[in-house]
Every structure is written in structure tokens, then in C-alpha cells.
Amino acid sequence: TPGEGVDVSALLDDVLAGRREAASYVYPSHAGEQQRWFRAHFVPLLSGERRGAAIVYLDITDSVMAEKRLFKLAHFDALTGLPNRMLFVDRVQHAELQAKRNGGKLALIFVDVDHFKKINDTLGHLAGDQLLQQFGQRLSNALRKSDTIGRMGGDEFAVILPGIKDAAEAALVARKLLNALKAPFLISGKDVFSAASLGIAIYPDDAGNTELLLGHADAAMYRAKQQGGDSFQFFTSAMNENALEQ
């Protein structure tokens, strides 16, 4: 079956009618766990006044898989498998455009592992990597499918909450994320307790562009960390007061 949006009959008709010198399209042909991609190439065949076409099929699986590997290396974190900073920022920008078109809001949450350096120094770098992997997985499991989580580097993660109604909804998600981290992590056969500091910024209330929004969420996260961790802070002080009252 050809790729979505490709009208194969129209391509072939164009080649037969001389409107195209050649045409091609790529399509997948998967069977079970085996995945393969092919390129079908149409070229005209002329015999006197009669016009025909030859169809050549090429197996391009290796090149497609190589492109997929390169894309993954460039856009996803090797340790956790989550979107890296570059892809995450791109998704923030897309979410902002969507919110702007719909007249809606989105929340950006920065997440930093509390006392990660102490855990890393005490148990070793391998244990630290295991903690980050499990940390990212728990955060992912606590989110909706429409939300996006990425690893920003080191022990920092970030979350996009598109389509939120208000700051109170963002606070509910922040509490859910903190609760997801309460149970001990099993690291190298040992129970390890950890928590996180969260900073929240709202678009467009706190910032009208990606760079400012990221900076404000980061600043709010550091405020939460300075207050002892295992908590969240909004960038705007008024939002903090409302969350505290609730």
C-alpha cells in the first residue's frame, strides 16, 4: 500500500500521458516484526505511437533505517529515550502556536531531581543513570498522552501541558508528578528514595515566547529547590498564593 496522500493512479497516468518524464513514491511493506520500505519508480516506454511505462521497485530499507537512526540520535536522549532539549524546544514552539490559534493556554513544568549529586556520588554513576531512567519513566506514566516530556540534560526534565484551563489545573498535574515519585526506586537491588523540585510557567500569562517561558519555568524550579525540594513553585507569585490556598 503506498504512503498516505499518494495517488498512484494519477502518477502513472501522468507518465503515460507525457505530463511527467518520471515519477516515484516510497511505501512500507511490513510483515509481522519485519519492516521493509520500497521505492516504486515509473518511467515511460515509447514504441512508435504507443506509450507505456516500466515500473521499477527498489528495496530502500537500509537507507530508511539509517535515516531513522540518525533522527533518533539527533532528537532523543540516549539514556532515557525521551525527547532531548532540541526536540523538546521544537515541541514547545508548536504547542505555543496551537495555543495562540485556539486562544488557549499551556503550562511548562521544569523538573529537577532532588539531591541527585549525593545519590550519584554515594552509589556511583551507574546507579545515577538507573535513577534517571526510572525517574523519566514514572513521570511519563503520570502524564496524559497529549503531554510531552523531555530530558533537558543532566538531572533536569521538562513537561509540556497543552490545552490547560488555568494554573490550578497545572498545579494538579504537578502534585500528581510529585506523588508518582514517592515510592522508593529499586537501584542496584537497593531501595532509593528521591523527590523533585518543579517550576511552572504558563503561556501566555507568564511569557509570550519559548525562550522566556523556558527561563521562567527554570527560575521557578530553582525557587522550589531553595525551599527544600519535593514541591512545586509557579513563576508568578500570585499563582503561588492561589495554589497554597487551595
Side-chain angles (χ1 to χ4, degrees), residues 115-129:
H115 313 299
F116 178 72
K117 187 177 184 304
K118 182 178 181 181
I119 294 171
N120 210 34
D121 291 344
T122 303
L123 300 178
H125 293 292
L126 181 60
D129 287 347

Side-chain angles (χ1 to χ4, degrees), residues 6-168:
V6 177
D7 189 337
V8 180
S9 297
L11 289 179
L12 184 56
D13 288 344
D14 285 347
V15 171
L16 290 172
R19 291 188 294 268
R20 288 173 178 259
E21 292 185 2
S24 65
Y25 67 92
V26 174
Y27 66 95
S29 181
H30 303 331
E33 295 183 359
Q34 188 178 29
Q35 295 184 327
R36 305 204 73 78
W37 284 264
F38 295 87
R39 181 184 297 278
H41 191 63
F42 301 152
V43 292
L45 286 177
L46 303 178
S47 178
E49 295 183 356
R50 298 180 62 187
R51 297 183 64 89
I55 305 176
V56 180
Y57 292 94
L58 302 173
D59 187 337
I60 60 169
T61 301
D62 289 344
S63 61
V64 170
M65 295 300 290
E67 288 178 10
K68 288 179 175 289
R69 284 193 294 270
L70 287 174
F71 182 88
K72 188 171 183 179
L73 286 171
H75 296 89
F76 289 86
D77 174 56
L79 180 64
T80 62
L82 298 173
N84 63 14
R85 174 180 283 271
M86 182 172 69
L87 180 57
F88 184 84
V89 170
D90 181 70
R91 291 187 177 177
V92 174
Q93 292 170 342
H94 278 84
E96 285 180 0
L97 289 174
Q98 187 71 27
K100 188 175 183 179
R101 282 194 294 265
N102 298 336
K105 298 177 185 289
L106 70 88
L108 184 64
I109 304 179
F110 258 51
V111 183
D112 188 83
V113 183
D114 289 341
H115 313 299
F116 178 72
K117 187 177 184 304
K118 182 178 181 181
I119 294 171
N120 210 34
D121 291 344
T122 303
L123 300 178
H125 293 292
L126 181 60
D129 287 347
Q130 291 176 5
L131 177 61
L132 291 174
Q133 289 172 329
Q134 294 181 37
F135 215 88
Q137 189 61 56
R138 286 207 197 169
L139 294 174
S140 297
N141 292 341
L143 296 169
R144 306 168 299 180
K145 289 184 178 180
S146 58
D147 302 330
T148 297
I149 178 173
R151 185 184 176 202
M152 305 301 281
D155 60 341
E156 288 188 352
F157 298 84
V159 174
I160 308 167
L161 305 178
I164 64 163
K165 297 176 184 177
D166 49 33

Side-chain angles (χ1 to χ4, degrees), residues 180-197:
L181 305 172
K182 296 294 186 186
F185 295 85
L186 184 61
I187 307 295
S188 299
K190 300 178 180 178
D191 284 345
V192 175
F193 290 87
S194 186
S197 300

Side-chain angles (χ1 to χ4, degrees), residues 176-224:
K176 186 177 180 181
L177 294 176
L178 290 174
N179 287 334
L181 305 172
K182 296 294 186 186
F185 295 85
L186 184 61
I187 307 295
S188 299
K190 300 178 180 178
D191 284 345
V192 175
F193 290 87
S194 186
S197 300
L198 279 59
I200 309 171
I202 308 293
Y203 172 91
D205 301 23
D206 294 329
N209 64 68
T210 301
E211 185 177 353
L212 277 176
L213 197 67
L214 289 167
H216 290 345
D218 197 29
M221 180 269 291
Y222 273 106
R223 191 184 305 139

